[in-house]
Amino acid sequence: MTARLTLVQGDLTRQHADALVNAANSSLLGGGGVDGAVHRHGGPDILAACRALRASRYGRGLPTGQAVATTAGRLAADHVIHTVGPVWSATEDRSALLASCHRESLRVAAGLGARTVAFPAISTGVYRWPLDDAARIAVGTVRDALAAAPDDFDEVRFVLFDETAYGAFERALADRG
């Protein structure tokens, strides 16, 4: 069975899924945007798990493009997968790091046995990645991962906060090239 790749306009923290992907900062200790919302709505258990990760494996923070899982606290999910997206640069191609966020998040999700995974539009907020390009990279990377392991997931969902982001991901999803 091949996983469905779907789009939803809404709030990531309100999604029911086995794993929610958090567009985290490298500190893993919360922040603004999606990261802040995940920590606020998920409650103190997520922060406690992130602090434990910082005290053990990630003393210098989670590297850009990597992913790690914690509890989902009060969210309607079993796990939160934290990934650090790259800051967009006009002078340096960092698209491989953005693709890595999606690949690594799916790798972690598969390792957890998660059948449904919900992603935000990673790096498109304060990290300023242009929406159309981020959508192209995200959708292409997830499509490739699902083609390589078609039985790992039932659904991978992109949860887009507004109509503009939804439109960008809808165009990327429609593009088969």
Side-chain angles (χ1 to χ4, degrees), residues 5-9 121 131-132 134-136 138-139 143 158-160 162-176:
L5 183 55
T6 60
L7 306 179
V8 173
Q9 185 178 331
L131 260 172
D132 286 325
R136 178 188 59 78
V139 169
R143 261 195 189 132
F158 286 103
V159 182
L160 297 316
D162 61 22
E163 289 179 26
T164 303
Y166 187 93
F169 276 75
E170 189 173 45
R171 287 187 296 279
L173 195 57
D175 180 16
R176 295 279 175 196

Side-chain angles (χ1 to χ4, degrees), residues 8-17 19-23 32-43 46 72-80 118-120 157-161:
V8 173
Q9 185 178 331
D11 181 345
L12 180 74
T13 65
R14 303 291 185 219
Q15 296 295 305
H16 293 264
L20 300 181
V21 177
N22 178 23
V34 170
D35 194 23
V38 165
H39 278 268
R40 277 191 311 279
H41 293 281
I46 296 173
R74 296 188 303 244
L75 298 171
D78 296 324
H79 309 279
V80 170
F119 278 95
R157 179 183 326 140
F158 286 103
V159 182
L160 297 316
F161 188 72

Side-chain angles (χ1 to χ4, degrees), residues 14-85:
R14 303 291 185 219
Q15 296 295 305
H16 293 264
D18 296 330
L20 300 181
V21 177
N22 178 23
N25 64 50
S26 64
S27 77
L28 294 175
L29 302 179
V34 170
D35 194 23
V38 165
H39 278 268
R40 277 191 311 279
H41 293 281
D45 290 347
I46 296 173
L47 181 59
C50 287
R51 283 188 174 140
L53 286 168
R54 286 297 305 269
S56 61
R57 294 179 17 207
Y58 299 104
R60 294 183 179 194
L62 183 65
T64 301
Q66 297 299 302
V68 66
T70 66
T71 179
R74 296 188 303 244
L75 298 171
D78 296 324
H79 309 279
V80 170
I81 298 171
H82 306 268
T83 189
V84 180

Side-chain angles (χ1 to χ4, degrees), residues 3-6 106 117 119 142 146 153-158:
R4 292 175 297 144
L5 183 55
T6 60
L106 289 174
V117 181
F119 278 95
V142 169
L146 295 179
F153 302 101
D154 296 329
E155 180 187 17
V156 176
R157 179 183 326 140
F158 286 103

Side-chain angles (χ1 to χ4, degrees), residues 21 64-67 81 83-86 96-106 119 122-123 141:
V21 177
T64 301
Q66 297 299 302
I81 298 171
T83 189
V84 180
L97 287 169
L98 184 56
S100 180
C101 290
H102 294 86
R103 253 192 322 278
E104 287 297 304
S105 293
L106 289 174
F119 278 95
I122 297 169
S123 287
T141 302

